[in-house]
Amino acid sequence: MFHVAHPGEFAPSPSGLDTLLMKGPLARILRSFLRYPWWCTLTLLSALGTTLLGLVFPQITRYAIDEVVAPGRLDRLPWMVLVLVLAFLLRDLLNALRVFWNNQLEQQVLLDLRQSLFSHLQRLSVTYYEKHPSGDVVSRLIDDINHVERVMLDGTEQGVVSVLTMVGVFWMLLNLHPTLALLSLLPIPLLLAGALAYTRGAHKRHRKIREMTGRLSAYLFDSVSGVREIRTFSAEGHEAERFHERADACKESTLSVMRLWGVYSSSMNFFASLGYVFLLAYGCRLLAEGGGTEFTFGDFSAFLLYVPMFYQPVQRLHGINQMMQQARAAAERLFDLLDAPVDVKDRPSARPITERPAGRIEFRNVHFSYSANVPILQGIDLTAMPGSVTAIVGTTGAGKSTLVSLIPRFYDPEEGAILLDGTDLRDFTLATLRAQIGIVAQEPFLFNGSIRENLLYGRRTANDQEIRDALEAAHAWDFVSQLETGWDAPVGERGVRLSVGEKQRLAIARALLKDPPVLILDEATSSVDTTTELHIQRALHRLMEGRTTFIIAHRLSTIRKADQILVLEKGRICERGSHNELIQQRGRYRQLHQAQMEPI
Ligand SMILES: Nc1ncnc2c1ncn2[C@@H]1O[C@H](COP(=O)(O)OP(=O)(O)OP(=O)(O)O)[C@@H](O)[C@H]1O
Ligand SMILES: [Mg+2]
């Protein structure tokens, strides 16, 4: 089997025997409890104490009937009351401690799990996010983990107490009257068989519920982000149908489990009641035949109290079994995410970049494809000298964005290599490599926070003066200073409260703060007014100064000034040179150029 190593405690164990013993998703969670042996011990001890003390009361009742009432020894009454009160007090005190320790333990394990999941999410390559809708990922971390939490909180606590109670009660019953004890517990094998059958059937159904919930959440995410498009296309009716279809699937899958649960829990209840029937029938006979000498009335009343005490936890265990099936399905989805391989990661020999690189970038025979048999880049060779500007032009879908996304290693080439100052990018640690690269996207992404918070992503340690300088250099200070709250103004989700031109200038300021030797620009195709355009152009030129720049260029002004222009066609560089050289070649570039110059 293929194992991926992860930081954190939830990594699958590499040892064969261990995986065999602890292979289930719930076992993996339970195993993580063992990392806190003290809390485990305290929880178990207090549960044990609570249970044992609970077993005392039917015995005292028996004592009251047989030793106090029957012989008329009322002098024993005060002592009995005292023992009773003390036992109650101790039981509830221990119970309080059990709840406290138990929750402490479970919340800690849950926090560990959440953190492992989040840190894994941070490491997963972009490919994972391309294949899994964001809503589904979020639903795993919020919804699925909640189901695991429930089973950990209620399941382990009640499960342990239930089992302990059953063992204790069983022992008490055996001591009181073995035959009657076995008779009243006769339905147990039936209950076990029923539980097994239910477990089989419910797991599949629960997995379906979890999947459907993930799908619903993914849909909601999508439709909430696309709210403008829905309005534009007046698609509200259609969207309501799509929502209904998914919500209905959730309902149906839940109902299918609940129907099964209805049959299961009711039939288990019926079988369990048979135990009481056997007890009454045989107990009455014993009393009648023996005249209450060998098997006393006190014994019988203890039985009448103990038997329900046995079946109550059985009932609870059924409920826990139901929760466990739910949690198992949820935990599978959690571990599915936690075990997702990280495609792009540090080589064991990777070293950090400690000095500022000159910024020479080379592609050597780079091949890349997103899916097998569909080559996107085919044999790319190029060299970008430090501080030079490389413009990439070509028709849509030619592979321009793909080419530049290999530089920060969003993906790795399938063949060939990319080098920074002569060293393969894969020989550097990812974090320090990405620190050398600035990216300004076509429509930049801003986080839901203030302008200042967004700029600090460029450099965490930047002070107010540096932020202001960056904003000024990016020609963004004008509009930022006019905002009522200045740079503390919230930008909204993805920066929706700002115009495209404003977002671009903020992204430029953010890149200026980062001050990377290598820069990637995806020029905006959407047109802004000429004054803004001029501002952005100036800001960009300021940003490009002294940096090795790759620019996916649409504007002639940018292309003209580039040191080299690469014309990309179907994943290959078909022409390269300066603007004048390429115009003289009368090839593809000239065609593209002329198409742009033609009046519409
Ligand atoms: N994440 C992805 N998964 C699968 N295929 C992709 C992915 N991104 C791009 N592609 C495909 O790869 C090809 C090249 O895409 P790319 O985005 O690099 O083109 P481009 O030259 O930047 O085009 P444009 O000028 O329209 O931005 C396209 O056919 C596209 O469908
Ligand atoms: Mg593109």
Side-chain angles (χ1 to χ4, degrees):
M1 215 192 110
F2 177 70
H3 281 299
V4 189
H6 303 287
E9 312 69 41
F10 294 89
S13 159
S15 127
L17 183 68
D18 227 38
T19 18
L20 204 70
L21 292 174
M22 286 290 202
K23 64 176 182 198
L26 284 183
R28 266 170 85 179
I29 287 178
L30 285 179
R31 191 176 48 175
S32 54
F33 279 68
L34 299 180
R35 291 188 60 248
Y36 302 97
W38 274 110
W39 277 340
C40 284
T41 316
L42 287 173
T43 307
L44 278 180
L45 282 182
S46 49
L48 191 69
T50 314
T51 313
L52 284 180
L53 285 166
L55 295 178
V56 170
F57 309 115
Q59 286 290 5
I60 294 185
T61 312
R62 189 185 62 84
Y63 178 84
I65 293 173
D66 288 350
E67 313 291 333
V68 180
V69 180
R73 294 283 307 270
L74 284 183
D75 57 310
R76 289 176 174 165
L77 209 53
W79 288 109
M80 197 188 80
V81 170
L82 187 68
V83 170
L84 211 56
V85 169
L86 280 181
F88 272 130
L89 191 69
L90 199 60
R91 180 196 64 176
D92 295 331
L93 207 71
L94 274 180
N95 196 39
L97 285 175
R98 176 179 64 89
V99 171
F100 174 75
W101 284 323
N102 201 343
N103 279 280
Q104 193 86 6
L105 173 64
E106 277 141 3
Q107 290 303 320
Q108 186 60 45
V109 170
L110 206 68
L111 179 69
D112 290 350
L113 180 60
R114 268 219 172 91
Q115 265 176 342
S116 294
L117 281 165
F118 189 72
S119 80
H120 191 64
L121 273 180
Q122 300 293 309
R123 278 161 29 92
L124 277 174
S125 13
V126 284
T127 348
Y128 183 86
Y129 294 91
E130 285 165 2
K131 288 183 191 142
H132 295 80
S134 333
D136 185 69
V137 174
V138 171
S139 122
R140 286 173 204 239
L141 255 87
I142 307 237
D143 201 39
D144 287 319
I145 215 165
N146 266 345
H147 284 94
V148 173
E149 175 183 5
R150 271 191 54 205
V151 82
M152 288 194 340
L153 276 172
D154 304 341
T156 48
E157 186 180 296
Q158 292 180 12
V160 168
V161 174
S162 301
V163 171
L164 286 177
T165 312
M166 283 163 64
V167 171
V169 170
F170 185 58
W171 186 75
M172 290 289 187
L173 289 180
L174 271 186
N175 277 324
L176 279 169
H177 198 289
T179 323
L180 191 59
L182 290 178
L183 255 181
S184 20
L185 305 185
L186 210 59
I188 292 295
L190 274 177
L191 299 186
L192 279 179
L196 222 66
Y198 172 75
T199 305
R200 286 232 183 96
H203 177 55
K204 263 201 320 266
R205 291 173 164 86
H206 276 299
R207 204 158 50 191
K208 182 101 194 249
I209 298 183
R210 306 298 344 126
E211 264 165 34
M212 291 301 124
T213 313
R215 221 179 110 212
L216 181 67
S217 163
Y219 169 75
L220 277 175
F221 236 73
D222 209 38
S223 72
V224 169
S225 354
V227 63
R228 282 162 193 251
E229 280 67 20
I230 294 177
R231 298 277 192 285
T232 316
F233 291 114
S234 301
E236 290 90 343
H238 176 61
E239 290 307 310
E241 270 170 38
R242 289 182 53 185
F243 175 80
H244 178 78
E245 185 215 314
R246 284 159 180 80
D248 194 55
C250 281
K251 179 194 103 184
E252 282 305 323
S253 51
T254 309
L255 279 182
S256 118
V257 167
M258 283 307 142
R259 280 192 284 265
L260 189 69
W261 168 245
V263 173
Y264 166 67
S265 66
S266 305
S267 45
M268 292 304 102
N269 219 358
F270 173 72
F271 290 135
S273 313
L274 287 183
Y276 204 72
V277 175
F278 293 144
L279 164 70
L280 266 187
Y282 191 65
C284 288
R285 228 178 115 176
L286 276 181
L287 277 179
E289 281 170 0
T293 46
E294 212 170 294
F295 183 70
T296 64
F297 283 96
D299 288 340
F300 189 54
S301 42
F303 251 94
L304 288 179
L305 288 172
Y306 273 133
V307 170
M309 270 174 90
F310 185 88
Y311 280 107
Q312 226 168 29
V314 170
Q315 202 66 26
R316 227 180 293 146
L317 283 182
H318 289 314
I320 292 172
N321 187 16
Q322 143 91 338
M323 258 194 295
M324 290 243 289
Q325 298 323 311
Q326 214 169 12
R328 205 169 120 206
E332 271 170 9
R333 276 165 56 83
L334 293 182
F335 286 118
D336 178 54
L337 183 126
L338 204 53
D339 296 345
V342 179
D343 299 330
V344 177
K345 57 184 168 202
D346 282 344
R347 280 178 175 173
S349 59
R351 58 170 201 276
I353 301 175
T354 46
E355 274 172 29
R356 188 179 173 87
R360 180 188 149 104
I361 297 275
E362 260 179 275
F363 278 56
R364 288 192 190 154
N365 188 31
V366 168
H367 289 254
F368 177 78
S369 60
Y370 289 104
S371 49
N373 308 326
V374 191
I376 302 292
L377 297 178
Q378 307 182 59
I380 301 289
D381 278 301
L382 70 90
T383 306
M385 296 310 282
S388 70
V389 175
T390 303
I392 303 166
V393 297
T395 47
T396 176
K400 304 180 295 291
S401 300
T402 308
L403 188 148
V404 294
S405 66
L406 298 182
I407 302 173
R409 284 189 70 196
F410 289 145
Y411 315 93
D412 278 337
E414 273 159 17
E415 220 186 295
I418 304 170
L419 299 90
L420 170 64
D421 291 354
T423 308
D424 193 321
L425 296 184
R426 288 164 292 197
D427 288 330
F428 295 123
T429 59
L430 266 177
T432 58
L433 169 70
R434 289 178 181 160
Q436 314 303 325
I437 301 164
I439 301 175
V440 180
Q442 276 191 336
E443 183 157 339
F445 181 93
L446 296 179
F447 292 97
N448 192 2
S450 67
I451 291 178
R452 189 169 176 278
E453 280 164 348
N454 269 287
L455 289 182
L456 285 175
Y457 272 89
R459 181 154 30 104
R460 296 253 141 250
T461 53
N463 62 31
D464 285 357
Q465 187 58 46
E466 286 167 326
I467 294 177
R468 181 168 173 165
D469 290 347
L471 282 169
E472 277 176 358
H475 291 249
W477 181 246
D478 281 353
F479 82 83
V480 172
S481 59
Q482 272 169 19
L483 295 170
E484 206 173 304
T485 42
W487 60 36
D488 289 323
V491 301
E493 200 172 18
R494 292 158 185 269
V496 285
R497 294 194 189 187
L498 299 172
S499 74
V500 176
E502 289 165 346
K503 270 192 277 195
Q504 279 211 328
R505 279 175 283 169
L506 289 186
I508 293 170
R510 185 166 66 178
L512 276 167
L513 277 175
K514 186 171 181 181
D515 187 23
V518 179
L519 191 65
I520 295 169
L521 304 174
D522 210 339
E523 229 178 28
T525 39
S526 53
S527 49
V528 285
D529 66 87
T530 35
T531 333
T532 314
E533 163 98 31
L534 204 66
H535 280 311
I536 294 176
Q537 284 298 314
R538 284 188 183 146
L540 278 176
H541 280 121
R542 173 72 199 274
L543 178 62
M544 284 153 68
E545 268 166 36
R547 304 179 210 276
T548 314
T549 305
F550 288 86
I551 180 161
I552 299 177
H554 303 288
R555 295 185 186 87
L556 270 179
S557 57
T558 323
I559 304 175
R560 273 218 181 92
K561 283 183 197 150
D563 296 293
Q564 63 173 340
I565 300 163
L566 307 174
V567 184
L568 207 62
E569 187 122 319
K570 293 189 181 131
R572 292 177 204 275
I573 296 176
C574 61
E575 283 171 35
R576 64 178 85 206
S578 69
H579 175 73
N580 289 337
E581 286 164 5
L582 289 181
I583 289 291
Q584 277 164 15
Q585 272 185 23
R586 301 176 168 272
R588 192 80 189 97
Y589 177 75
R590 196 184 156 103
Q591 278 176 6
L592 282 170
H593 179 63
Q594 274 177 345
Q596 230 187 56
M597 300 289 285
E598 268 169 22
I600 298 167

